[in-house]
Amino acid sequence: MRRLIVRLLAALALIGAGVSPAGAEARAPLVLAAASLQESLTAAADAWAARRHERPVLSFAASSALARQIAAGAPADLFLSADEAWMDDVQGRGLLRPGSRTSFLANRLVLIAPAASGARLTIRRGFPLARAIGTGRLAMADPDAVPAGKYGKAALTALGVWPAVQGRLARGESVRAALALVERGEAPFGIVYATDARASAKVRVIGIFPAASHPPITYPIALLKTAASPDAEGFRRFLLSPAGKAIFRRYGFTAR
């Protein structure tokens, strides 16, 4: 986040001096990406740099927070969202480069517990999640804004469990914040993406939510109208290429 702030201040300084970011010295792409893409997108950026390109600057946060930054004028090049709704929001504001939006990844939603937990639950309609939580809380990304939280709420609602747990949430600002609560044992259960659970040795998967219990989890990518890096489109195309998609598959995503 510190690197993003530095970049934003630099861009504002250029604008104040009457120089547009597009007229500035060529720079590496600034990529705003959903928190769940941390390991995979970092690996993709490393692979791009290994091809003798400037390594992209990556800033990770909840898709909702990133969309608000873009709406506030963040001069970034690429946006990778963890759901279509926040990309729709940015597109609806006229902030995407026309024709650059593509949905290229998919994910699954899982219930997790600390690695040392002996808890067992079968995810089905009416499963006793509230009883299993006991006096603890269910860790989730904020279900009112963050994609992972919205998917989790949809799944629990479809399974008839949401009314029993909605008052017992530990809300995280992102899916990785929810993951951290379970990693530290501060919550006995959590709902995250399958790729987040795979990235941590401190949690284990209790079960996978039925795909039909929530909207499809898809990741769109698009160039922003503020894109000024000459490498931005090239990096976008690399991520969509067979080589790029292979990297995301290694981290558990389904490439579309």
Side-chain angles (χ1 to χ4, degrees):
M1 183 59 71
R2 180 176 296 176
R3 296 180 75 183
L4 174 60
I5 292 172
V6 170
R7 288 286 298 279
L8 296 183
L9 290 175
L12 289 173
L14 286 170
I15 294 169
V19 180
S20 70
E25 183 179 349
R27 59 167 175 77
L30 172 57
V31 183
L32 305 183
S36 52
L37 294 167
Q38 285 184 34
E39 293 80 12
S40 56
L41 189 59
T42 296
D46 289 341
W48 179 246
R51 297 185 176 209
R52 299 177 181 252
H53 297 277
E54 287 290 322
R55 189 184 186 282
V57 176
L58 310 178
S59 179
F60 299 99
S63 299
S64 51
L66 296 174
R68 292 182 185 118
Q69 288 178 21
I70 295 166
D77 296 290
L78 282 164
F79 178 35
L80 281 72
S81 173
D83 77 346
E84 304 291 342
W86 282 112
M87 188 65 83
D88 289 343
D89 180 83
V90 174
Q91 185 169 8
R93 297 174 186 271
L95 299 175
L96 298 185
R97 187 74 58 83
S100 68
R101 177 175 175 173
T102 304
S103 295
F104 74 121
L105 299 175
N107 214 333
R108 295 296 303 272
L109 200 66
V110 299
L111 180 69
I112 59 170
S117 170
R120 295 179 179 274
L121 279 173
T122 299
I123 297 178
R124 53 180 172 75
R125 181 161 186 83
F127 74 108
L129 179 58
R131 186 171 66 198
I133 292 171
T135 59
R137 290 187 174 272
L138 174 66
M140 290 178 63
D142 184 356
D144 294 327
V146 183
K150 293 193 295 182
Y151 291 128
K153 178 180 177 180
L156 294 176
T157 299
L159 295 170
V161 177
W162 179 249
V165 301
Q166 62 179 327
R168 303 172 64 184
L169 303 181
R171 297 176 181 238
E173 64 181 13
S174 71
V175 68
R176 288 304 174 95
L179 175 69
L181 289 171
V182 181
E183 287 178 325
R184 296 193 297 262
E186 296 177 20
F189 295 98
I191 297 177
V192 299
Y193 298 125
T195 52
D196 296 303
R198 179 171 172 165
S200 176
K202 297 179 181 180
V203 303
R204 67 182 184 88
V205 174
I206 299 293
I208 302 173
F209 285 91
S213 67
H214 57 79
I217 301 172
T218 58
Y219 288 67
I221 180 175
L223 281 172
L224 298 171
K225 278 196 172 177
T226 52
S229 170
D231 252 0
E233 172 61 7
F235 185 54
R236 185 187 77 91
R237 289 181 179 274
F238 172 69
L239 296 179
L240 298 175
S241 72
K245 289 181 178 180
I247 294 171
F248 290 101
R249 287 193 188 96
R250 290 205 306 267
Y251 287 86
F253 290 91
T254 300
R256 306 180 72 201

